[in-house]
């Protein structure tokens, strides 16, 4: 049908006869001349109809926004003074000769260039319209280009793209499973994969050596700000490669991708241990664009009267830390109240602070509701340790270690952005040397990555003191987001059984749930490892977007529903019967 994309026309095409197809972006009537901005995926071109050609002119007059039209016309220079440098096609226009309406459109649910006024619910309900917006087209295009780059990179490095099942058994990655009832096996359920983890490991046992897949994963997680129940991973696994080799080949993939697709040089990624990340940044995914660090002060508080600090300072499971905000003394009482409310989301029961007005005056130069409880010596020792200057503010956290880390870690991120303190645009790093397990709130233990991660000790040492065990895990972090995570895997049956035991999974249960893996590990499983990148988050960062929903064509809402299709939906009694499922009556509240 078409000779050119609308958005591709340039001065080179002047005097050419062209046929274009696209959507009416805007129609303007300028003193007897009709201008149609016609849009396709490459951009917008201005088409002019004058009354000389009566039929086309009348048709052009009748079209409305979002009609689909076909135009035949002549490309010409725009008249002097009407050149639009903001448009790719801004130096030219098309003199319309013939116009055909290919399809009409009802009045759109929202103006495409006015989407900011529209709720996300409405945008998602009309996603087919929302995706017409040039901004969304751009993001989808970047997404396709990134996938293509990744495939090329991995293909040319000897990786094989192998698909793994969607209807499967549970693969624990720390979330709830989505389950699918089986019709043919009454009372039994498939689980949708939280990741292809176990299959990719079995592919290593089978000798494929290097595997990848751009894989859909499903996790029924609690409603957290920016998660999707189904999302996409770039899933990678390799045999006979050590941690350094795996990190190098994947780092190279990401640096190449950023350079080629968005012109960004990420440089070599620094490595930081998990312990250092938690201690200095209160986070296992520190945003290193932000220069502020947490500083431990428990030793200085251990002997003071003030229980709020002295209590945690003398408890091994707690932490007392300070965060110095340079120039933060200008924060108002209201700002501080807001930050206090903010840290309460993370369980902090308050937010103590000291403003440094004039250090030369000693404790007299400090402004704070807590100095009197700390005493002069302690207050000044803290100031010295933090190397404060006049005009700074220091915030404190004193509580269970995880509460302090989460609260001050989040505060550090927020204040850094609020006070415009970020020192660079991109800050990648690897976080390494992770503990194998962590304690859950109910006193149990859980794997920090997943139970297939290789501990860096023997099975006996592991079982003797699971919480002390380190693991060969690594995460790639960019600007405070986890881009990817992975590990060297357990490739020996005995070690895998030990890990299950540590997690309170009996040998019997392990056999029932993971027998296929344990079996695979008995038959010459090679040493192997890998990792997975979150594709959605990667595109989000590369396109400078705030939410992963913006880079997924048809995302779900935060309540895991799809406003477009109204999924999830009810099924008929017939279907339920076939599945031998009887619904319990909904409890009326
Ligand atoms: N399967 C892991 C995950 O989805 C990634 C990996 O260890 O390769 O987080």
């Amino acid at each position: 049908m078409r000779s050119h994309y609308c958005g591709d026309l340039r001065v080179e095409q002047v005097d050419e006869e062209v046929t274009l197809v696209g959507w009416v972006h805007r129609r303007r009537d300028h003193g007897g001349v009709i201008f149609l901005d016609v849009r396709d995926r490459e951009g917008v071109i201005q088409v002019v109809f004058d009354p000389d050609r009566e039929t086309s002119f009348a048709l052009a007059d009748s079209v409305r926004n979002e009609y689909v039209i076909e135009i035949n016309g002549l490309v010409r220079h725009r008249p002097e003074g009407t050149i639009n440098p903001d448009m790719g096609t801004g130096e030219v226009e098309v003199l319309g000769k013939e116009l055909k309406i290919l399809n009409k459109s009802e009045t759109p649910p929202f103006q495409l260039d006015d989407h900011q006024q529209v709720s996300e619910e409405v945008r998602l309900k009309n996603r087919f319209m929302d995706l017409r917006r040039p901004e969304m087209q751009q993001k989808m295009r970047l997404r396709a280009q990134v996938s293509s780059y990744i495939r090329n990179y991995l293909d040319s490095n000897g990786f094989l793209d192998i698909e793994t099942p969607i209807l499967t058994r549970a693969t624990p990655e720390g979330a709830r499973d989505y389950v699918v009832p089986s019709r043919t096996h009454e009372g039994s359920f498939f689980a949708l994969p939280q990741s292809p983890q176990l299959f990719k490991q079995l592919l290593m046992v089978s000798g494929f050596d290097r595997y990848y897949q751009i894989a859909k994963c499903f996790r029924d997680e609690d409603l957290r700000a920016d998660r999707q129940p189904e999302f996409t991973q770039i899933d990678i696994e390799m045999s006979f490669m050590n941690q350094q080799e795996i990190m190098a080949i994947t780092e190279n993939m990401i640096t190449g991708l950023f350079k080629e697709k968005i012109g960004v040089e990420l440089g070599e990624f620094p490595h930081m241990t998990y312990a250092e990340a938690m201690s200095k940044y209160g986070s296992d995914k520190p945003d290193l664009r932000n220069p502020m660090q947490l500083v431990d002060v428990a030793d200085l508080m251990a002997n003071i009267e003030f229980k709020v600090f002295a209590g945690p300072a003398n408890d091994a499971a707690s932490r007392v830390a300070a965060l110095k905000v340079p120039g933060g003394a200008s924060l108002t009482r209201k700002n501080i109240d807001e930050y206090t409310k903010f840290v309460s989301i993370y369980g902090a029961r308050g937010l103590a602070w000291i403003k440094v007005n004039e250090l030369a005056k000693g404790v007299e130069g400090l402004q704070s509701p807590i100095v009197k409880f700390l005493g002069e010596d302690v207050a000044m020792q803290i100031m010295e340790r933090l190397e404060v200057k006049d005009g700074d503010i220091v915030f404190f956290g004193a509580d269970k270690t995880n509460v302090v880390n989460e609260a001050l870690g989040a505060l550090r991120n927020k204040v850094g952005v609020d006070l415009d303190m970020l020192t660079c645009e991109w800050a990648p790093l690897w976080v390494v040397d992770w503990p194998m397990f962590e304690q859950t709130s109910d006193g149990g233990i859980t794997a920090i990555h997943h139970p297939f991660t290789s501990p860096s000790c023997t099975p006996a040492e592991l079982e003797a003191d699971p919480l002390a065990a380190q693991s060969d895990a690594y995460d790639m972090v960019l600007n405070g987001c986890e881009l990817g995570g992975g590990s060297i895997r357990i490739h020996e049956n005995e070690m895998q059984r030990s890990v299950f035991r540590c997690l309170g999974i009996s040998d019997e249960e392990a056999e029932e749930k993971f027998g296929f893996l344990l079996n695979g590990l008995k038959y010459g499983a090679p040493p192997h490892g890998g990792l997975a990148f979150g594709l959605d988050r990667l595109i989000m960062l590369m396109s400078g977007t705030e939410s992963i929903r913006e880079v997924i064509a048809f995302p779900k809402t935060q309540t895991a529903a799809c406003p477009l299709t109204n999924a999830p939906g009810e099924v008929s009694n017939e279907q339920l019967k076939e599945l031998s499922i009887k619904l319990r009556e909904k409890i009326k509240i």
Side-chain angles (χ1 to χ4, degrees):
M1 264 185 184
R2 64 159 70 90
S3 67
H4 295 78
Y5 276 113
C6 300
D8 283 348
L9 295 180
R10 297 288 183 274
V11 282
E12 286 75 49
Q13 279 82 43
V14 166
D15 292 335
E16 268 182 50
E17 184 112 352
V18 294
T19 306
L20 308 172
V21 284
W23 286 263
V24 177
H25 192 61
R26 206 172 290 121
R27 176 184 146 282
R28 281 163 291 142
D29 186 342
H30 273 203
V33 183
I34 292 185
F35 289 91
L36 298 184
D37 285 346
V38 185
R39 186 192 70 239
D40 61 22
R41 60 173 239 193
E42 300 302 322
V44 175
I45 179 79
Q46 172 169 296
V47 186
V48 190
F49 288 89
D50 55 39
D52 298 354
R53 296 176 180 272
E54 260 175 53
T55 333
S56 327
F57 183 81
L59 266 178
D61 194 29
S62 75
V63 301
R64 293 292 172 265
N65 280 3
E66 302 308 316
Y67 275 31
V68 194
I69 57 176
E70 180 179 331
I71 285 160
N72 181 271
L74 192 69
V75 183
R76 65 183 191 190
H77 288 283
R78 286 204 191 189
E80 197 84 21
T82 62
I83 288 175
N84 182 349
D86 297 335
M87 282 171 86
T89 61
E91 287 183 69
V92 295
E93 63 185 14
V94 171
L95 175 63
K97 292 185 176 170
E98 277 156 44
L99 174 81
K100 225 192 266 173
I101 296 178
L102 300 179
N103 207 351
K104 295 183 174 183
S105 167
E106 292 187 9
T107 307
F110 52 86
Q111 289 288 347
L112 296 198
D113 35 19
D114 206 19
H115 69 282
Q116 248 128 14
Q117 311 301 322
V118 181
S119 72
E120 192 179 31
E121 181 88 11
V122 172
R123 283 179 57 205
L124 291 183
K125 191 167 174 50
N126 299 280
R127 190 61 155 181
F128 50 90
M129 295 301 290
D130 192 41
L131 287 172
R132 279 188 193 170
R133 294 193 295 112
E135 191 190 327
M136 294 307 284
Q137 298 252 325
Q138 198 48 42
K139 288 178 193 152
M140 291 305 127
R141 185 181 295 222
L142 176 67
R143 189 174 173 118
Q145 288 170 351
V146 169
S147 298
S148 158
Y149 180 94
I150 301 279
R151 285 184 191 286
N152 280 331
Y153 177 87
L154 293 170
D155 290 344
S156 58
N157 278 285
F159 288 79
L160 298 177
D161 176 1
I162 302 178
E163 289 167 74
T164 53
I166 295 294
L167 294 177
T168 180
R169 293 214 67 166
T171 319
E173 295 276 2
R176 243 177 251 117
D177 288 322
Y178 273 97
V179 292
V180 179
S182 160
R183 180 182 57 80
T184 45
H185 298 271
E186 196 181 310
S188 292
F189 293 79
F190 295 102
L192 302 184
Q194 291 189 31
S195 81
Q197 185 63 34
L198 300 179
F199 289 106
K200 69 174 172 175
Q201 290 192 232
L202 290 177
L203 289 171
M204 295 303 106
V205 176
S206 307
F208 286 103
D209 202 74
R210 289 182 174 206
Y211 142 98
Y212 82 95
Q213 184 182 189
I214 299 196
K216 271 291 175 85
C217 301
F218 306 85
R219 298 183 190 178
D220 187 0
E221 304 204 70
D222 289 328
L223 308 176
R224 263 193 272 166
D226 207 19
R227 301 273 174 133
Q228 283 283 304
E230 62 176 300
F231 61 97
T232 308
Q233 279 191 345
I234 304 162
D235 195 42
I236 300 176
E237 198 74 8
M238 299 159 238
S239 296
F240 307 112
M241 299 269 277
N242 63 29
Q243 179 169 339
Q244 278 61 41
E245 291 165 326
I246 293 174
M247 287 161 71
I249 199 168
T250 49
E251 179 174 323
N252 193 36
M253 176 176 89
I254 296 296
T255 47
L257 174 70
F258 272 69
K259 182 151 186 234
E260 184 165 316
K261 294 297 164 210
I262 56 169
V264 167
E265 293 277 2
L266 291 176
E268 204 175 307
F269 297 7
H271 293 196
M272 184 183 291
T273 65
Y274 172 87
E276 183 180 351
M278 295 309 286
S279 133
K280 289 190 179 158
Y281 305 99
S283 166
D284 56 15
K285 37 182 184 295
D287 186 348
L288 298 188
R289 294 172 305 168
N290 179 332
M292 290 186 286
Q293 294 187 356
L294 311 191
V295 175
D296 279 302
V297 290
D299 56 320
L300 301 177
M301 306 271 206
N303 297 317
I304 62 174
E305 294 282 301
F306 193 35
K307 287 278 166 294
V308 174
F309 287 123
N314 288 296
D315 170 23
S318 295
R319 181 172 189 194
V320 185
L323 177 73
K324 175 181 77 176
V325 182
S330 58
L331 290 171
T332 61
R333 187 70 228 196
K334 187 160 166 267
N335 296 142
I336 297 176
D337 286 347
E338 276 162 15
Y339 289 138
T340 308
K341 206 157 151 207
F342 175 74
V343 292
S344 74
I345 304 172
Y346 302 89
R349 282 166 290 182
L351 182 64
W353 52 271
I354 298 178
K355 279 186 184 178
V356 186
N357 292 336
E358 201 177 340
L359 197 58
K361 284 192 182 161
V363 79
E364 295 301 311
L366 304 181
Q367 178 191 343
S368 161
I370 60 159
V371 166
K372 57 179 177 291
F373 301 114
L374 299 178
E376 186 167 344
D377 284 355
V378 171
M380 292 317 288
Q381 280 166 8
I382 293 172
M383 295 301 107
E384 201 174 309
R385 178 168 301 174
L386 292 164
E387 296 175 0
V388 297
K389 292 204 178 60
D390 290 352
D392 295 349
I393 189 169
V394 179
F395 289 113
F396 294 88
D399 211 313
K400 293 286 173 217
T401 304
N402 62 337
V403 172
V404 171
N405 286 342
E406 282 184 24
L408 284 191
L411 182 68
R412 170 182 173 273
N413 286 339
K414 183 159 172 56
V415 173
V417 171
D418 288 354
L419 301 191
D420 214 0
M421 293 172 72
L422 306 191
T423 55
C424 57
E425 211 180 332
W426 300 99
L429 76 151
W430 285 104
V431 177
V432 296
D433 296 345
W434 291 68
M436 180 69 198
F437 299 113
E438 67 186 344
Q439 195 121 37
T440 55
S441 49
D442 57 9
I445 66 169
T446 177
I448 290 198
H449 271 82
H450 50 59
F452 318 106
T453 301
S454 172
S456 11
C457 57
T458 64
E461 285 164 347
L462 181 77
E463 289 193 59
D465 190 359
L467 285 169
Q470 292 280 108
S471 73
D472 299 330
Y474 34 82
D475 272 10
M476 188 190 283
V477 175
L478 180 61
N479 293 0
C481 285
E482 179 198 329
L483 259 196
S487 56
I488 299 297
R489 323 298 185 189
I490 298 168
H491 69 285
E492 285 157 337
N493 179 290
E494 189 197 344
M495 177 61 103
Q496 189 61 71
R497 286 182 188 280
S498 287
V499 168
F500 286 145
R501 274 196 294 275
C502 291
L503 290 168
I505 302 175
S506 67
D507 284 358
E508 208 176 36
E509 190 184 350
E511 204 54 56
E512 200 276 315
K513 286 190 173 144
F514 303 110
F516 61 101
L517 173 73
L518 290 168
N519 216 9
L521 297 182
K522 286 184 199 156
Y523 293 94
H528 61 284
L531 82 176
F533 291 97
L535 179 66
D536 311 297
R537 209 170 288 162
L538 180 64
I539 311 290
M540 178 185 95
L541 286 170
M542 291 178 79
S543 62
T545 324
E546 296 287 318
S547 155
I548 58 169
R549 296 189 296 280
E550 288 295 303
V551 297
I552 297 174
F554 299 104
K556 310 258 184 307
T557 60
Q558 286 182 22
T559 57
C562 171
L564 177 71
T565 60
N566 279 333
E570 292 185 356
V571 298
S572 68
N573 278 335
E574 221 55 7
Q575 282 172 297
L576 287 176
K577 217 158 142 197
E578 276 177 346
L579 295 166
S580 317
I581 289 180
K582 189 158 182 236
L583 296 183
R584 293 207 303 194
E585 274 183 38
K586 281 191 194 145
I587 300 165
K588 293 201 184 78
I589 304 171

